[in-house]
């Protein structure tokens, strides 16, 4: 028995399914990474007759695409949670006074630190939904971001968010040993959704999240966090 002839619509449907599969498997790239990818591809094109140069360019472009990946995330739907602002390793759980430049006073808050290696996605996401009350950048050193002193000594950018219920949360982007550029697209008065991307740090960094002392912490040191999805704490 002869098989029915394929129609152009069948071919288009298969092509669409393939494209959707690629999109769901390969994460998009943050716009900040496009110049680096283009630079690597340009180097590969310039060295197309020199194998080592071509391979170096393709390798740089591939690493940049991996580093600047911007995977989609689905934040939790239950209210009153603080989610991880970045992918990485939970390295510190303590209490500390939030960055002085924000003017939040001397009352200690709970703090969770997440260290991002060069293999983690480096986009930053809002730990809560709320209004941006202040954004403050402070120059500093470029020590290894996994050291406890990095929170106080390294260059940082602090984001103060206030939830609709009036709870203050702080997310601090901290530069690392090889991180020399902190990107923050949020501005005072902006409204951010839970898990919404607001920034990026290039090539190794740390994220500190400050929240009220009465919150219940739900992660442990050494745990891997998924930005925008892992629940760090429940607010009181």
């Amino acid at each position: 028995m002869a098989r029915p002839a394929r129609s152009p619509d069948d071919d288009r449907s298969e092509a669409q399914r393939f494209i959707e599969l690629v999109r769901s498997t390969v994460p998009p790239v943050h716009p900040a990474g496009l110049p680096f990818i283009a630079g690597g591809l340009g180097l590969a094109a310039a060295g197309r007759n020199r194998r080592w140069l071509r391979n170096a360019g393709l390798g740089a472009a591939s690493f940049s695409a991996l580093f600047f990946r911007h995977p989609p995330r689905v934040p939790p739907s239950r209210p009153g949670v603080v989610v991880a602002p970045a992918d990485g390793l939970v390295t510190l759980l303590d209490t500390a006074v939030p960055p002085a430049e924000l003017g939040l006073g001397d009352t200690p808050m709970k703090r969770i630190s997440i260290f991002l290696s060069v293999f983690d996605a480096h986009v930053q996401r809002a730990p809560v939904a709320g209004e941006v009350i202040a954004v403050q950048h402070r120059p500093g050193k470029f020590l290894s971001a996994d050291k406890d002193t990095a929170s106080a000594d390294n260059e940082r950018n602090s984001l103060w968010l206030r939830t609709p219920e009036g709870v203050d949360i702080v997310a601090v982007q901290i530069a690392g040993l090889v991180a020399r550029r902190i990107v923050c697209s949020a501005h005072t008065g902006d409204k951010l959704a839970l898990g919404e991307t607001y920034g990026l740090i290039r090539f190794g960094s740390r994220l500190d999240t400050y929240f009220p002392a009465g919150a219940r912490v739900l992660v442990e040191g050494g745990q891997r966090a998924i930005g925008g999805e892992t629940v760090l704490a429940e607010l009181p």
Side-chain angles (χ1 to χ4, degrees), residues 13-213:
S13 296
E14 287 192 4
Q16 289 172 353
R17 285 196 292 269
F18 177 75
I19 292 172
E20 290 173 0
L21 176 62
V22 170
R23 286 177 175 173
S24 64
T25 305
V26 180
V29 173
H30 191 280
L34 297 180
F36 293 88
I37 297 172
L41 293 177
L43 181 64
R48 58 185 178 276
N49 295 324
R50 297 181 181 180
R51 184 176 179 181
W52 68 269
L53 189 59
R54 182 181 69 250
N55 290 343
L58 292 175
S62 299
F63 173 79
S64 297
L66 176 66
F67 180 86
F68 288 101
R69 66 191 184 278
H70 188 189
R73 296 289 162 76
V74 181
S77 58
R78 70 182 191 269
V81 297
V82 180
V83 301
D87 294 10
L89 187 69
V90 176
T91 57
L92 182 67
L93 300 94
D94 65 355
T95 59
V97 174
E101 57 268 23
L102 289 176
L104 276 168
D106 297 329
T107 302
M109 302 176 73
K110 284 187 176 177
R111 177 177 64 177
I112 294 179
S113 297
I114 296 175
F115 173 71
L116 293 74
S117 75
V118 294
F119 300 107
D120 289 307
H122 269 61
V123 293
Q124 279 82 62
R125 305 170 191 270
V128 293
E131 180 180 359
V132 178
I133 304 301
V135 180
Q136 292 289 337
H137 178 267
R138 195 209 69 170
K141 299 177 181 179
F142 295 95
L143 305 174
S144 178
D146 61 349
K147 295 184 179 296
D148 292 347
T149 55
S151 293
D153 297 338
N154 282 21
E155 179 171 332
R156 67 190 183 212
N157 188 76
S158 302
L159 178 75
W160 173 5
L161 286 167
R162 179 169 291 162
T163 71
E165 295 75 28
V167 180
D168 292 324
I169 307 292
V170 175
V172 185
Q173 300 167 285
I174 301 172
L177 188 64
V178 293
R180 301 286 161 159
R181 182 79 168 96
I182 297 176
V183 178
C184 179
S185 59
H187 302 88
T188 301
D190 288 352
K191 300 290 181 62
L192 298 181
L194 178 67
E196 180 178 348
T197 300
Y198 75 88
L200 178 142
I201 311 176
R202 293 177 189 166
F203 309 120
S205 50
R206 172 176 174 162
L207 261 291
D208 285 354
T209 307
Y210 296 79
F211 44 91

